[in-house]
Amino acid sequence: MISRDNATPLQEQVAEDIRQRVRDGEYEVGAKLPPLRELRETYGVAEVTVHNAIRELQREGVLVSSAGRGTYVNALPASQGSGDDVDKLRRDLASLSSRVERLEKLVGGADSAGA
């Protein structure tokens, strides 16, 4: 997580943590990032620090923002990833698993309503 004892600037630590969450599939491609206030609380840093980390990730192409809609995971550029096909497969599997869970909830809710 974030360490004030680390020589790496806080915004770079935040950016790296978000990158890692994208790599791990915690933040899926197309997923909306939590609001700045929530991220500020999560990392225990100033909102401007989170904002600067997000801007860095936007420049890299990891995140995209839409005015009034929020910030979304775009993709992890190949230069930022491990280059390992297994990592990509893990991310894809995590994404598919999450989608299946959402669909199952929708179908389960529809079955309950019709019963």
Side-chain angles (χ1 to χ4, degrees):
M1 197 65 154
I2 304 307
S3 171
R4 294 185 187 285
D5 297 331
N6 190 327
T8 305
L10 292 173
Q11 78 181 44
E12 290 180 29
Q13 291 183 55
V14 170
E16 181 53 34
D17 189 71
I18 293 172
R19 263 188 226 100
Q20 189 61 49
R21 290 174 186 236
V22 172
R23 280 187 203 107
D24 292 345
E26 183 176 341
Y27 292 150
E28 299 176 6
V29 173
K32 185 176 181 179
L33 225 57
L36 282 178
R37 286 182 304 254
E38 188 177 321
L39 291 171
R40 176 194 73 210
E41 292 171 9
T42 297
Y43 293 111
V45 298
E47 198 165 304
V48 69
T49 301
V50 175
H51 178 74
N52 289 337
I54 287 173
R55 287 186 56 163
E56 178 181 330
L57 295 170
Q58 288 171 331
R59 283 190 296 273
E60 293 173 11
V62 175
L63 302 175
V64 292
S65 290
S66 176
R69 295 192 59 220
T71 302
Y72 296 83
V73 177
N74 186 35
L76 192 61
S79 63
Q80 293 294 322
S82 67
D84 188 356
D85 288 341
V86 174
D87 286 342
K88 182 181 181 323
L89 288 171
R90 284 188 182 128
R91 286 192 307 274
D92 291 347
L93 180 59
S95 175
L96 287 171
S97 176
S98 176
R99 289 177 185 175
V100 167
E101 287 177 18
R102 285 191 299 254
L103 286 171
E104 287 175 342
K105 286 178 185 176
L106 287 172
V107 170
D111 288 346
S112 303

